[in-house]
Amino acid sequence: MNIEQPHALDRRPMSAEPSSKTTAPSPDLGTRLRALTAHRATWPLLALVIILIVDGIIAPGFFTIRIVGGRLFGSPIDILYRAMPTALIALGMAVVIGSKGIDLSVGSIVAVVGATIAWRIHAGDPHFVILLTALAVGLLCGMWNGFLVAVLNIQPIIATLILMVSGRGIGLMINLIYGGTDPSFQSPLLQGLSVGSIGLIPTRLILFAGLFAVLWFVIRRTALGLFIESVGANAAAANLAGINARLVTFSVYLISGLCTAWAGIILTADVHTSDPVSVALFSELDAILAVVIGGGSLAGGRIYLGMTLLGALVIQTLATSILMSGLPPEYNLLVKAVVVLFVLLLQSNNARDAVFTIFRRRKG
């Protein structure tokens, strides 16, 4: 697992201190264990491993990967496959949260993007133009959120709530433009991006890897990532340092809108129909959970892209486990909430310190 690297601009030149023959004593086992438990990757990884072990017990052939129809097939591949839309949305959410914002409208943006795709396909547009139009719709939604937050200075949770409430209605209205009686469509290009494969690898995994690499480069190898984290940590101080906090805040919602548009293309092409009411339902909550499970703080100031991906995998693996266990559907969300709460408690320094204190008192 790719653990987050420090920002390129955070790097400092190595000091030219003379080497010393005396070596510092190595930390004892207790110190190492405490450092291991304090690392942000430990508990999400442990949770993922435990869930996978349980899956392996429930379904003995869970880890079997085979080639079917010229592509990889199996439960681990299916988890990666199903997690990609949530992971894409979560990456954009991680950037927004890094700026101390929030974007509750991502599910509705997916609905608007899907309705736009169905509308333009029925209108007979070239499918590559439709792909660009769908991305432009995501950017437009991001511009709207960014305008409300950065220009009008409306609180992010309220600003994005407006599009969250209205977006699915906008999607239904777009469906009515062409009658809305048959929102299904066929698009070799879009369905190739969603459910196709290149060689043995599903296309959406390759697409996600490319988008992740681009976003990682922007956040970790350009000044924009440092600016976003600076604004998230202290917008007033960032302004005094010469950073245009409004422009930076506006840009994070553009990034979120673009990432969400890609997720909307994948989800809509997967079912090749426009369903504004139920598509990407609760995806904003899953995206926020993925960021938080990955160690992100709603207080802003840091962006963990790799850990956010890990959080999305934990959520999807858990969803797959619940389905495999045969639990009635009404228990799914409850079990999911309990497991996520357990992971967050393990990540909490206060909760761990309280547990260690109880054990020490009992031993004493």
Side-chain angles (χ1 to χ4, degrees), residues 104-106 108 145 159-169 284:
L104 298 181
S105 67
V106 289
S108 295
N145 287 331
T160 57
L161 187 63
I162 295 172
L163 186 55
M164 175 188 176
V165 171
S166 62
R168 296 185 185 276
E284 57 276 351

Side-chain angles (χ1 to χ4, degrees), residues 42-85:
T42 300
W43 298 110
L45 272 175
L46 182 62
L48 182 61
V49 170
I50 291 174
I51 296 172
L52 288 173
I53 291 174
V54 172
D55 287 340
I57 296 173
I58 295 175
F62 178 81
F63 295 103
T64 302
I65 297 177
R66 56 190 183 278
I67 299 175
V68 177
R71 59 180 287 182
L72 295 175
F73 186 82
S75 296
I77 300 298
D78 186 65
I79 288 174
L80 291 173
Y81 185 84
R82 298 294 172 195
M84 288 306 101

Side-chain angles (χ1 to χ4, degrees), residues 118 122 175 178 180-185 272-275:
H122 281 78
N175 279 0
Y178 58 89
T181 55
D182 183 17
S184 61
F185 61 86
H272 44 86
T273 189
S274 167
D275 184 10

Side-chain angles (χ1 to χ4, degrees), residues 6-362:
H7 195 286
L9 300 183
D10 290 340
R11 294 180 176 174
R12 302 290 187 267
M14 298 294 292
S15 63
E17 294 178 357
S19 61
S20 173
K21 292 183 179 179
T22 58
T23 57
S26 58
D28 57 15
L29 181 60
T31 303
R32 290 179 179 177
L33 285 176
R34 185 170 288 275
L36 182 63
T37 57
H39 197 285
R40 71 176 67 89
T42 300
W43 298 110
L45 272 175
L46 182 62
L48 182 61
V49 170
I50 291 174
I51 296 172
L52 288 173
I53 291 174
V54 172
D55 287 340
I57 296 173
I58 295 175
F62 178 81
F63 295 103
T64 302
I65 297 177
R66 56 190 183 278
I67 299 175
V68 177
R71 59 180 287 182
L72 295 175
F73 186 82
S75 296
I77 300 298
D78 186 65
I79 288 174
L80 291 173
Y81 185 84
R82 298 294 172 195
M84 288 306 101
T86 300
L88 274 173
I89 297 173
L91 289 182
M93 187 70 76
V95 177
V96 173
I97 288 177
S99 72
K100 207 175 181 177
I102 197 81
D103 189 351
L104 298 181
S105 67
V106 289
S108 295
I109 294 176
V110 169
V112 175
V113 167
T116 303
I117 290 173
W119 168 39
R120 297 320 303 168
I121 285 180
H122 281 78
D125 288 353
H127 290 190
F128 182 71
V129 174
I130 294 172
L131 172 64
L132 298 180
T133 303
L135 296 176
V137 167
L139 283 173
L140 185 63
C141 293
M143 289 174 64
W144 168 254
N145 287 331
F147 174 76
L148 294 180
V149 175
V151 179
L152 300 185
N153 204 26
I154 299 176
Q155 291 183 354
I157 192 171
I158 301 300
T160 57
L161 187 63
I162 295 172
L163 186 55
M164 175 188 176
V165 171
S166 62
R168 296 185 185 276
I170 295 173
L172 289 171
M173 293 172 66
I174 293 174
N175 279 0
L176 291 177
I177 294 176
Y178 58 89
T181 55
D182 183 17
S184 61
F185 61 86
Q186 295 294 328
S187 171
L189 173 62
L190 301 183
Q191 287 166 296
L193 291 173
S194 176
V195 298
S197 62
I198 299 177
L200 297 176
I201 311 298
T203 312
R204 68 171 66 180
L205 298 185
I206 298 173
L207 177 65
F208 176 84
L211 293 173
F212 181 91
V214 170
L215 187 57
W216 183 90
F217 180 84
V218 170
I219 296 300
R220 292 297 167 214
R221 289 293 181 265
T222 72
L224 180 60
L226 183 61
F227 290 169
I228 293 173
E229 292 181 340
S230 300
V231 170
N234 191 325
N239 262 323
L240 291 174
I243 298 173
N244 189 333
R246 289 182 185 275
L247 184 59
V248 171
T249 302
F250 186 80
S251 69
V252 300
Y253 287 95
L254 290 182
I255 293 173
S256 178
L258 188 60
C259 290
T260 305
W262 276 113
I265 292 168
I266 290 174
L267 288 170
T268 303
D270 193 353
V271 295
H272 44 86
T273 189
S274 167
D275 184 10
V277 175
S278 59
V279 67
L281 201 61
F282 302 132
S283 60
E284 57 276 351
L285 302 182
D286 282 345
I288 294 171
L289 278 177
V291 175
V292 174
I293 290 174
S297 167
L298 297 183
R302 294 295 294 172
I303 302 170
Y304 304 115
L305 296 180
M307 292 301 299
T308 298
L309 172 59
L310 177 59
L313 290 176
V314 170
I315 291 173
Q316 183 57 48
T317 306
L318 179 59
T320 302
S321 304
I322 294 172
L323 290 175
M324 290 173 52
S325 67
L327 277 176
E330 57 266 27
Y331 292 101
N332 288 358
L333 293 178
L334 180 61
V335 172
K336 189 175 178 181
V338 170
V339 173
V340 170
L341 175 62
F342 183 67
V343 174
L344 296 180
L345 285 175
L346 289 176
Q347 286 182 296
S348 167
N349 291 331
N350 292 339
R352 288 202 308 271
D353 289 343
V355 172
F356 288 146
T357 302
I358 293 173
F359 275 113
R360 277 198 296 268
R361 285 178 179 173
R362 288 190 174 182

